[in-house]
Amino acid sequence: MTITSDPPSPAPRPDVPQTAAQRPSPVAGRIPAGDHTPTGGDVPAPDPGLVAARNGSATRTPAAPTGSGTARDAATPAASAHSARPPYRIALTILHLAALGIVGLMILAGLLPLFGAGVGLLIVGIGLVFLVALVYALFGIGWFETARVSGLYGVRTAALRWRRAESAGFKGWLVALARQSVDGRMWRAIAHFGIATVLGAIMLGLVQGVVSGTVSTLQGGVVWWQPGLLGAIVCAAGVVGIALLHRIIALAMLGSAATEEQLVAQVRSTAEQREGAVRAADVERTRIERDLHDGVQPRLVSVGMTLGLAQEKIDTDPEAAKALIAEAHTSTKAAITELRQLARGIYASVLDDRGLDAALSALAARSHIPVQLDVRQAERCGRDAEAAVYFAIAETLTNAAKHSRASEARVVVRLREADETGGRRLWARVEDDGIGGARIVPGGGLDGVRNRVLAAGGTSRLDSLVGGPTSLEVSVPCAS
């Protein structure tokens, strides 16, 4: 199998393919069957960076640049976007509290009739509708308050999310609604919203005192001991004090909770990575043992028996002995080839030598089904990240060739920015147009993919409807 590179034309058009091998694939959003695992997202359209590997040969054209990096530079952490100086932040806090002092009281006043109607009409069943609406309204308030405090003080906290239903149907939705109604994080945010509303109402009174004191001072002449001037100063100090008090309460109620959530999430993620690494090692060891037992070992036993027969016939029938030796020689070369493939399955050395793009090109060229390869990786990622993505793609293509009855597969690889952490992530999607129905079986190939990606700190998702198509998405931190 060879991979040839077409030279670029003198004035190439970036939107027009240069070779027939670059025509868009009929596989639009598909992947291998067998035992799989992906993530959501649309697959980018084919472009001049596409590699079509068909029937053991691949044609590759230069990939278009991934961009100037403007998007990556713009994706900065949330905390860095809120480096406002203290006076400016105090002014923002005063504006927030002033708005809450007016709007917040109206919102809280509107919730009371909703709660009363729900409880009062509960006996006839209509009250359930009002109570459900109340839960959704409370969730909206909690989400708003969490986002407001996070944006105002630069607190890195995950947005408040609705509890997902663990089962389909009305029962699952009802259970999720009940769990959401007792969610501690939501109620903490609502409590803070109420406290901020009260502080805002008090601050409005103090602002009124500042205005009236200033007006009375201007009307009666400026004398430092005049009661109006002293009252305005005291009220202004009270406004600033309430703004500072709001910050203390906000960081205590929501900021500490955010820190605690981050620590819990890190501990959980570390435990999952360790468990995934252990399972991935077990699956890999089992695979190596199976490949040796089912492939190389019987072939070497056959070589030994063939050489034994040749030794017996070398004196009585030299021609037959020569034929047996030639057969043993052929079997030996096949065993060497299998050992090389087995070693390549443990780790592809081309990853270190030439990078993920070249390794996937070689993988596509060896595939038993035609593969379209679209890789856009402007910079190298960590060794573990590239290895995890490479083996996820390799195992998925193997499953597609063995189980999916696919006529074509497509592989897309991108270097992306994470929305929350700002760190780069290596994302890949594999699709085929096979029969679908793939599922993760403990100890199977896709189970190994999931565990290996998890051990690298990434995520995976498998979509495989019966009848096809099948798609697998993986996303791994670039620095892993």
Side-chain angles (χ1 to χ4, degrees):
M1 313 294 177
T2 61
I3 299 178
T4 61
S5 179
D6 296 337
S9 58
R13 290 180 56 189
D15 57 339
V16 178
Q18 296 181 10
T19 64
Q22 295 172 324
R23 286 193 297 267
S25 165
V27 187
R30 307 185 174 179
I31 163 182
D35 124 333
H36 308 333
T37 331
T39 31
D42 296 330
V43 177
D47 54 42
L50 195 62
V51 176
R54 302 176 182 275
N55 303 325
S57 64
T59 303
R60 183 173 192 80
T61 57
T66 58
S68 61
T70 303
R72 182 166 59 251
D73 297 336
T76 56
S80 63
H82 298 281
S83 56
R85 296 179 180 179
Y88 177 65
R89 181 161 299 171
I90 291 176
L92 286 179
T93 304
I94 292 173
L95 292 177
H96 278 226
L97 292 177
L100 288 177
I102 300 174
V103 180
L105 289 176
M106 297 171 60
I107 293 176
L108 294 178
L111 292 178
L112 293 178
L114 193 62
F115 175 75
V119 174
L121 298 176
L122 187 61
I123 191 171
V124 295
I126 303 178
L128 289 175
V129 178
F130 291 96
L131 293 179
V132 169
L134 178 63
V135 174
Y136 276 97
L138 291 175
F139 172 79
I141 294 173
W143 179 89
F144 166 78
E145 188 65 8
T146 302
R148 185 186 69 83
V149 172
S150 177
L152 179 60
Y153 298 120
V155 179
R156 297 177 63 93
T157 179
L160 193 63
R161 297 184 181 276
W162 187 267
R163 293 294 186 97
R164 292 184 178 181
E166 297 181 354
S167 58
F170 178 76
K171 181 180 178 181
W173 171 81
L174 195 61
V175 172
L177 181 68
R179 293 176 59 193
Q180 186 63 53
S181 64
V182 295
D183 183 67
R185 188 169 174 227
M186 182 187 76
W187 282 106
R188 189 185 298 114
I190 294 171
H192 184 270
F193 179 82
I195 294 174
T197 299
V198 173
L199 291 178
I202 296 174
M203 194 194 68
L204 288 177
L206 293 176
V207 170
Q208 184 179 3
V210 172
V211 174
S212 61
T214 303
V215 171
S216 64
T217 299
L218 294 177
Q219 291 176 349
V222 180
V223 182
W224 70 269
W225 62 82
Q226 186 175 349
L229 179 60
L230 295 177
I233 294 175
V234 171
C235 290
V239 169
V240 176
I242 288 180
L244 296 176
L245 179 61
H246 174 268
R247 175 183 173 84
I248 295 173
I249 295 175
L251 295 180
M253 294 185 66
L254 301 181
S256 61
T259 303
E260 181 181 353
E261 291 169 5
Q262 292 174 357
L263 293 176
V264 171
Q266 290 177 1
V267 171
R268 186 185 301 111
S269 176
T270 302
E272 291 176 352
Q273 291 182 28
R274 181 177 57 201
E275 183 180 356
V278 172
R279 292 202 306 266
D282 291 339
V283 171
E284 187 69 11
R285 184 184 66 251
T286 302
R287 183 187 67 82
I288 294 173
E289 292 175 351
R290 182 183 65 245
D291 291 345
L292 288 174
H293 183 271
D294 298 340
V296 179
Q297 179 178 333
R299 193 174 295 277
L300 292 178
V301 170
S302 175
V303 169
M305 295 178 62
T306 302
L307 290 176
L309 291 175
Q311 185 179 13
E312 293 177 0
K313 294 179 177 291
I314 194 169
D315 294 329
T316 59
D317 192 353
E319 294 299 327
K322 289 181 180 180
L324 290 173
I325 292 175
E327 179 183 346
H329 181 255
T330 302
S331 297
T332 302
K333 291 192 294 183
I336 292 174
T337 301
E338 291 184 4
L339 285 174
R340 287 175 178 171
Q341 293 176 349
L342 181 61
R344 190 181 295 115
I346 298 174
Y347 184 77
S349 59
V350 69
L351 276 174
D352 288 335
D353 299 336
R354 300 174 57 191
L356 181 62
D357 195 353
L360 292 178
S361 298
L363 182 66
R366 295 193 305 268
S367 176
H368 295 289
I369 60 175
V371 177
Q372 288 190 336
L373 183 62
D374 184 6
V375 180
R376 298 185 186 181
Q377 184 184 3
E379 302 175 9
R380 293 290 302 272
C381 288
R383 183 176 184 268
D384 293 339
E386 291 189 347
V389 171
Y390 172 83
F391 284 108
I393 295 173
E395 184 62 35
T396 305
L397 292 178
T398 300
N399 287 333
K402 289 182 178 180
H403 309 295
S404 71
R405 304 177 190 173
S407 61
E408 192 174 23
R410 186 182 182 198
V411 178
V412 180
V413 180
R414 294 288 187 271
L415 187 61
R416 293 182 169 179
E417 298 290 346
D419 295 335
E420 297 180 358
T421 64
R424 297 177 303 166
R425 298 185 72 89
L426 190 59
W427 173 89
R429 179 181 178 93
V430 187
E431 309 171 19
D432 71 29
D433 58 352
I435 59 176
R439 58 191 180 90
I440 298 177
V441 179
L446 290 182
D447 186 41
V449 169
R450 180 179 61 180
N451 293 330
R452 187 154 192 163
V453 171
L454 183 62
T459 58
S460 61
R461 175 182 161 191
L462 174 66
D463 291 328
S464 183
L465 301 175
V466 176
T470 301
S471 64
L472 171 70
E473 282 192 36
V474 297
S475 179
V476 181
C478 199
S480 63

